[in-house]
Amino acid sequence: MEPLNESLFDAQALEFPAALASALAPAALPGHFDELRGQATPAVPARPAAGAAPLAPMPPMLYDAAAQPPGQPQAQLQTQSQTQTQTQVLQTTPGDTPPLTPAWNAFFEQLGPGGFNDLPRRAVSLERQIRDNGVTYNVYADADGPQRPWSLDLFPLIVSPESWAQIETGVLQRTRVLDRVMADVYGPQQLLAEGLLPAALVHGHPGYLRAMHGVKPPGDTWLHIAAFDLARGPDGNWWVVSQRTQAPSGLGYLLENRLAITRQFPQAFEALQVQRLAATYSAMMDGLQRMCPAGVPPHIALLTPGPYNETYFEHAYLARYLGLTLVEGSDLTVRDQRLYLKTLQGLRPVHGLIKRLDDQFLDPLELRPDSTLGVPGLLQAIRAGNVLVANMPGSAFLESPALLGFLPGLARRLIGEKLKLPALPTWWCGERAALEAVLPQLGDCAIKPTYPGSDGQTSFDAVLGSKLSRRELDEWAGRIVREGEAHTVQSYLPLSQMPTWANDMGPGHIAPRAMLLRVFAVSDGPQSWRVLPGGLARLAGRDAQIASMQRGGSSADVWVQTHGEVDRTTLLQPHATPASLARHRAPVTSRAAENMFWLGRYTERAENAVRLARLTLNLLGSEDQSSRPLLDWLHRMALRNALVPAEAPSAPQSRRVFERALIAELGDVARGGSVGFSLRCIRQAAAAVRERLSQDTWNQIVRAEADFLRRAAEQAGEGSFATGAALRALESASTALAAMTGAQTDRMTRDDAWRLLSIGRHIERLGFLASALEAGFENGAVHEVSGFEAMVALFDSTITFHARYQQRRDVATLVDLLVLDAENPRSLAWVTQTLRGRIARLAGSAPGKLTALSYELPDPAAWTLEHLCAAGAEADYPALVQLLASCETAAYHVSDAIGTRYFTLTSESLRSVGA
């Protein structure tokens, strides 16, 4: 249970914010380092119960394996650092309130005129900013469920220059060692031959890729991005807890954290001399471009598992920030041992790939055959040296916690240095001596899988021995004895605690939270790395001892101070001359193109469904409900657009039952054609191309779906969805869709992606309007006043019709406005002509020049009012009906042709561009 302090606003006697924080902020828990005050809270000595056996000594830790002769068990190793980790605590005089560190003192003094009284407003502003920016993280990403907003604390973690010097030096050194370990493991394997690295941790690891043996990576660099999770112990020193090399997450989230927090505390950010981040990102991209095997300039893409991945927001954010093409596995193909991106213009070479998925999913041909996330043949392209991948596949074994215990010896062997940043004492239970030494101490350690993330029974979630009962400890001990290699035991370190702003238990107050710091090393050239001067602080929950986002934790920005001048490098190039400007045309991948196409179609489909549902409900409750042709037309249109189930009685048979069936289906997201289903499909299509949409557009889409489904759920909970409530929900959805249409029309660049969105909309509009008009002529509804007016209203042309034709209501006026008018955006002529032009531009034709696919649509120039209004023998209009049927058929034929040519790339568009 965390200690609570009084409301910050009750202490009026203290004038200075720093003094107020010092007085009201609770100290860290006993035995934990207090980041706010720069020292550990004194630990309370544990007294054994009467008659209890004395505490056994902690098992020796594997810290300096270089001193170990080959074959000597790790259990015989012990260093003085272990004793420091367990016992060193900075003491304070009882009753004294330790002062804040100079950095935290300066931070609180720079709060501005509002001081502490302004913190609740800033917390609300931060929460709103995260929500409005659409920053999400969802452990169990669901196609149908909303993603969880990213959790970010108001206060940053402040790291002093002295602490950062230790971190930076140690992380750079460890990155060099890990890179050389990979080079040896996939090369001469001298470390295995000399016994410095157990074969079970390499060849026995599911992440070791035999297919990569003998590969020489571009720039002789295996690791381009490495992440290290660090904890500060009670002694104030930093310790490595774990390392991530496959696809470390956080580089995008920490950028968003920095942007959000500096907006809340701009004065403190400047006053504390915080190092900037842009220079490191720029150096990373420059290094990757120099090491790419070919291409001037090289084309680098970011490979994501897709929008259902829990960190997809970060992938899209990072791709946009770095100017990369965001791709999924289906966007890429390998031809002649080279990697290509499938675009609307054909195949475009890819020279570099930053991957954000685990190695086992990269290539279904050589790794997991059931993977749909990777690229068949990718490993062959890597072996051929035709593509740089960051990080190179095969680094999963480096993430094993068991490796931490062997790295000191590996460092002495590979680079001739002693590690400057120690890791927590770690015992791999595959060695009998270590197993026997650590079993009695399980209650004081953490039990971790040696092969994390692997399939089968060898992978499990890490557990703290202190949380286990005696029976559970015995069960774990038996499991470890039976499968020693699969288990690694790590000493438990009380995590340092930083101040956070909490408002979940009444008035806002400062509360300490356990913290784990993730820092990143990135390559800036061959065999060269730099550490990003910042990081991602992960905070444990209120009663948790493990800092994990997957277990409900939160994050904090990391401010690294410097005594020198702050590097204010940005990704902007203000001194570029006009002559040096080269317009970069971002490629439109086939997957992005398809999603943009369907985003347009579903937006139009939702608008049509909302307009048709509103019209139907209004007419069913009007005085025109006795018109049988009108009711029959409404029933036909509802069936054709899946607004009612096929088994529902028709409107002429039972108007009320038909009405209730229509209302009941509005929010059913499982039924294709319903308004709720279309709104959900809009969100899903938009999520797949989120990097192409503005934040306002994305927020509109999310809110529209959530609002409509909430209204439907509220009415369903009351047992019925009344007509009035349904109409209000439809009106709200109509307003939201109009906003989406405006954003699509006025706020998007007219590139091929936008053209496909527009083509999708107009294909849907052409098919819907032609079908509606054809049904009205087939059953004669247009020949009645009520049916005539309903047809004009469905085309959203009522005001124009009455202003132009006043009281005339005949077939000629209807055809003139709804079929032939080239200035009415809902006439068939306007829609068809626009479609023909957009399709031609998509294929790269000059303005005014059509392509073969454009000619698949009827030519409005050949339509005449006299010909279309010529009545047949039975007072019907055969030419008009035939035209309407051909428009509907052509719309969906063109849709199929576009999918074949641009999305599946099965036509002549398989040509290579820029190879």
Side-chain angles (χ1 to χ4, degrees), residues 764-813:
E764 197 69 32
R765 184 178 302 180
L766 180 61
F768 176 78
L769 296 181
S771 171
L773 206 55
E774 182 185 13
F777 274 95
E778 282 182 353
N779 80 330
V782 295
H783 301 304
E784 295 188 359
V785 173
S786 57
F788 193 98
E789 293 286 351
M791 196 75 61
V792 175
L794 187 63
F795 275 65
D796 202 17
S797 301
T798 300
I799 295 177
T800 303
F801 183 87
H802 288 293
R804 182 179 298 180
Y805 305 109
Q806 298 182 2
Q807 298 302 315
R808 279 192 63 181
R809 290 182 178 84
D810 53 54
V811 172
T813 57

Side-chain angles (χ1 to χ4, degrees), residues 893-915:
H893 172 74
V894 168
S895 175
D896 293 340
I898 287 176
T900 300
R901 177 165 185 172
Y902 295 108
F903 306 153
T904 62
L905 293 183
T906 56
S907 65
E908 70 277 2
S909 62
L910 283 176
R911 65 188 182 282
S912 212
V913 178

Side-chain angles (χ1 to χ4, degrees), residues 227-230 239-244 399 401 404 448 490 516 518 538:
F228 297 85
D229 292 327
L230 310 179
W239 299 77
V240 176
V241 178
S242 61
Q243 52 206 19
R244 295 289 179 265
E399 298 182 349
L404 292 175
K448 297 184 175 183
Q490 191 173 68
L516 198 65
R518 173 166 289 189
R538 292 181 291 166

Side-chain angles (χ1 to χ4, degrees), residues 173-189:
Q173 185 189 47
R174 283 182 171 267
T175 303
R176 289 166 52 207
V177 173
L178 292 179
D179 186 84
R180 291 302 88 197
V181 168
M182 278 199 72
D184 179 80
V185 164
Y186 289 104
Q189 298 190 347

Side-chain angles (χ1 to χ4, degrees), residues 23 56 65 133 226 289 292 529 572 591 647 701 716 739 754 833 871 874:
N133 287 353
Q289 290 175 353
C292 280
W529 295 268
L572 300 176
R591 175 193 52 83
E647 61 273 12
I701 292 171
W754 178 86
Q833 189 60 38
E874 299 180 0

Side-chain angles (χ1 to χ4, degrees), residues 20 25 34 63 99 127 143 223 274 294-295 495 582 634 728:
L20 186 61
D34 191 336
Y63 176 67
E127 184 178 353
L223 297 179
V274 180
L495 299 179
L634 293 174
R728 287 191 295 273

Side-chain angles (χ1 to χ4, degrees), residues 594-758:
E594 185 172 11
N595 280 287
M596 291 292 286
F597 176 76
W598 282 102
L599 176 60
R601 290 197 65 170
Y602 277 116
T603 306
E604 185 70 25
R605 188 174 297 179
E607 283 195 1
N608 295 336
V610 167
R611 189 179 298 108
L612 178 59
R614 292 178 69 187
L615 177 65
T616 302
L617 293 177
N618 283 321
L619 289 176
L620 290 176
S622 70
E623 60 186 15
D624 297 322
Q625 57 184 271
S626 59
S627 171
R628 187 173 183 85
L630 174 61
L631 293 177
D632 180 66
W633 177 74
L634 293 174
H635 179 247
R636 288 190 183 189
M637 289 302 297
L639 278 179
R640 287 187 180 185
N641 292 277
L643 292 183
V644 295
E647 61 273 12
S650 65
Q653 290 175 334
S654 178
R655 180 176 57 83
R656 290 305 176 193
V657 176
F658 173 79
E659 180 183 41
R660 287 197 296 270
L662 188 148
I663 292 174
E665 298 296 319
L666 288 177
D668 187 355
V669 295
R671 177 175 290 278
S674 73
V675 176
F677 179 86
S678 294
L679 290 173
R680 173 146 297 180
C681 289
I682 291 173
R683 178 178 62 81
Q684 291 174 344
V689 289
R690 188 168 171 182
E691 75 279 5
R692 291 186 166 272
L693 304 178
S694 70
Q695 192 57 52
D696 287 342
T697 301
W698 171 252
N699 290 341
Q700 289 170 355
I701 292 171
V702 172
R703 284 196 296 265
E705 181 202 13
D707 179 69
F708 187 81
L709 295 183
R710 176 184 57 81
R711 291 171 180 265
E714 288 175 355
Q715 292 298 326
E718 297 177 3
S720 65
F721 201 171
T723 302
L727 286 171
R728 287 191 295 273
L730 289 168
E731 182 180 359
S732 176
S734 178
T735 302
L737 287 165
M740 289 184 211
T741 299
Q744 293 173 4
T745 303
D746 296 334
R747 297 188 180 183
M748 296 185 68
T749 304
R750 265 48 175 177
D751 60 359
D752 284 341
W754 178 86
R755 291 188 185 93
L756 276 165
L757 182 146
S758 178

